[in-house]
Amino acid sequence: DYDALLLQMLEQEPITSELVYFSFTRLGSMNMLQLANEITVCYYLYVWFLLVIMPEQTDFIIDQTTATVLMVASSLANDIGIYKDPSEYGQYTNMNIDPRILNFRRKLWLGLVTCCRIEVSYKGRPVQFSQSKAPFVTTNREGLEKYIMLYKRNMLVDDPLELYLQKGALSRCRDLLELQFLDETFSNINGSLRLSEIMQFLEKINHLLHTDYSIAGLYCNAPDSKRKPFEAAHIDLDIDVERINNMHQLQMHLLLRKSSSIVRQLLFLHFEKLIEDSETALLGRYERCFSLALVELIESLKVLADYFEGKFDKAITVYSKISLDKAVQTEIFRSFFMLLSFILRFG
């Protein structure tokens, strides 16, 4: 039982701050920073992850310099051309190179783009990377099919589990890219958007919340035991990827709700400012924006309450909860701050 084994490992060797710092020193002793290559980029992604999951730091937004780490990783990745698919470089197609290196570069870029999107979604400060140059990191189905075709071509053995995980990783990355819509506005104090554009964005987020990232099926539901889990090609354990996918689904659900809630609150604050400037004709729109923002916040708080009451425990893996806990912790601070701002307006 993969879950039971990993739970036993975590109980015997819990992830502590001392263990994280020890990992830093071991990684640093390898002198990987002397060269700009794939291993160096991978090193920085490991450092970013270790900073994010620091057990004694509840808020990586304030306490950790994760954005700086990603900026360095992005710069190195651009320098060695990871933003392009390896098939576009002659040396990777014409020379006798281990095909696993090609897939390693693809996974590195996909991981880097995902980390950057998570970073900016929580901190609001865009990390510069050449996402637009990657042919497969797009929001259309052709990009997904092309990526899987190229990835499968460079696999040494047919591994259904690896392909399944890559499809899921690319799908989540593409959905995170949908949130780029607000980056330019949030990073530029003089930026502006049309109300119709904002409403289209909110409709898109609402569609994802009720389709691809709906959590209705996660309440107190364990994965179907009749479904045979994947057998990984290189380990002697069966892995229940359904519960891993459930964890990602809940994490993305929280992130999408956060983005939607922030936009709705900004809308009502915008109309509140206009009303203060004596534009009373907009009072009805202000009241509607206020109501929608409040409803969105209450729904987010309901999901958080259900999480702490253990209503999702049977549907997600034990060993993946540490990353989910970080997303929940970050969401708690934002939600209660917004709740306080609403309460103050009721006098």
Side-chain angles (χ1 to χ4, degrees):
D1 187 335
Y2 198 49
D3 286 7
L5 177 62
L6 283 173
L7 180 59
Q8 180 182 357
M9 292 171 57
L10 288 173
E11 290 175 344
Q12 294 175 352
E13 299 290 341
I15 298 176
T16 62
S17 294
E18 290 75 14
L19 179 61
V20 172
Y21 284 122
F22 176 79
S23 302
F24 282 147
T25 58
R26 294 303 92 194
L27 288 170
S29 67
M30 299 174 70
N31 294 323
M32 291 185 298
L33 302 184
Q34 296 179 357
L35 297 174
N37 54 32
E38 293 86 354
I39 301 299
T40 308
V41 177
C42 187
Y43 162 83
Y44 276 106
L45 292 182
Y46 273 124
V47 170
W48 179 85
F49 179 72
L50 290 173
L51 287 172
V52 169
I53 69 169
M54 286 286 282
E56 296 176 5
Q57 303 291 346
T58 58
D59 191 351
F60 80 88
I61 292 179
I62 299 174
D63 298 323
Q64 303 295 357
T65 57
T66 49
T68 303
V69 173
L70 282 184
M71 288 179 183
V72 176
S74 300
S75 178
L76 291 173
N78 286 329
D79 288 345
I80 62 177
I82 293 182
Y83 58 82
K84 287 186 178 181
D85 190 81
S87 60
E88 298 185 33
Y89 295 105
Q91 62 267 36
Y92 288 114
T93 55
N94 301 328
M95 299 175 63
N96 187 21
I97 295 178
D98 189 335
R100 290 175 296 183
I101 295 179
L102 280 66
N103 280 341
F104 181 47
R105 289 174 65 93
R106 293 185 180 108
K107 288 190 286 187
L108 272 181
W109 185 248
L110 195 60
L112 179 60
V113 173
T114 301
C115 291
C116 288
R117 291 311 313 162
I118 292 175
E119 182 81 21
V120 69
S121 295
Y122 283 117
K123 291 191 175 182
R125 296 190 297 271
V127 179
Q128 298 299 321
F129 61 94
S130 302
Q131 168 268 327
S132 58
K133 299 180 182 179
F136 47 83
V137 187
T138 60
T139 56
N140 57 60
R141 181 171 180 80
E142 290 74 17
L144 174 61
E145 293 175 348
K146 179 178 181 180
Y147 176 80
I148 296 302
M149 178 193 70
L150 293 172
Y151 192 94
K152 189 174 183 179
R153 181 190 301 170
N154 295 126
M155 293 176 66
L156 293 181
V157 295
D158 186 20
D159 191 341
L161 172 62
E162 187 174 356
L163 280 178
Y164 179 89
L165 294 177
Q166 285 302 303
K167 287 180 180 179
L170 180 57
S171 296
R172 285 187 295 275
C173 179
R174 296 188 308 147
D175 289 333
L176 282 169
L177 288 173
E178 296 284 1
L179 303 180
Q180 284 188 117
F181 172 75
L182 300 174
D183 288 358
E184 184 177 349
T185 302
F186 285 169
S187 60
N188 181 8
I189 193 172
N190 296 317
S192 63
L193 290 172
R194 292 180 179 275
L195 184 58
S196 59
E197 294 175 323
I198 296 176
M199 298 311 296
Q200 287 177 2
F201 171 78
L202 290 173
E203 288 175 4
K204 186 179 296 184
I205 296 298
N206 186 64
H207 176 74
L208 289 173
L209 284 171
H210 292 88
T211 53
D212 296 352
Y213 297 104
S214 170
I215 58 174
L218 303 187
Y219 282 89
C220 296
N221 290 328
D224 187 355
S225 58
K226 296 180 181 179
R227 290 185 57 184
K228 180 175 176 56
F230 282 98
E231 295 180 357
H234 307 297
I235 58 178
D236 297 327
L237 290 171
D238 290 342
I239 301 177
D240 191 344
V241 296
E242 185 177 354
R243 290 202 288 176
I244 299 176
N245 187 62
N246 288 344
M247 184 277 294
H248 288 299
Q249 192 159 335
L250 181 55
Q251 194 172 34
M252 277 294 297
H253 186 91
L254 288 170
L255 184 56
L256 291 171
R257 279 206 176 278
K258 166 185 171 295
S259 301
S260 177
S261 184
I262 289 177
V263 172
R264 292 194 183 279
Q265 186 184 35
L266 291 176
L267 272 178
F268 110 76
L269 289 174
H270 170 71
F271 286 111
E272 185 176 69
K273 178 65 169 61
L274 294 179
I275 291 174
E276 290 176 357
D277 295 337
S278 301
E279 294 193 31
T280 55
L282 297 174
L283 181 60
R285 182 163 290 181
Y286 163 72
E287 291 176 345
R288 175 169 174 75
C289 289
F290 180 87
S291 300
L292 291 175
L294 186 57
V295 169
E296 185 84 44
L297 175 61
I298 293 172
E299 291 177 348
S300 297
L301 291 171
K302 173 66 166 56
V303 175
L304 293 175
D306 291 341
Y307 176 79
F308 284 108
E309 290 175 5
K311 294 184 178 180
F312 302 115
D313 287 354
K314 293 182 180 179
I316 58 180
T317 57
V318 174
Y319 51 87
S320 61
K321 285 192 66 177
I322 186 167
S323 60
L324 187 57
D325 284 344
K326 283 295 176 179
V328 170
Q329 289 171 356
T330 306
E331 182 68 5
I332 286 175
F333 298 136
R334 183 201 62 81
S335 296
F336 278 97
F337 179 79
M338 290 181 63
L339 181 62
L340 178 62
S341 69
F342 281 121
I343 292 175
L344 292 175
R345 283 172 168 77
F346 281 103

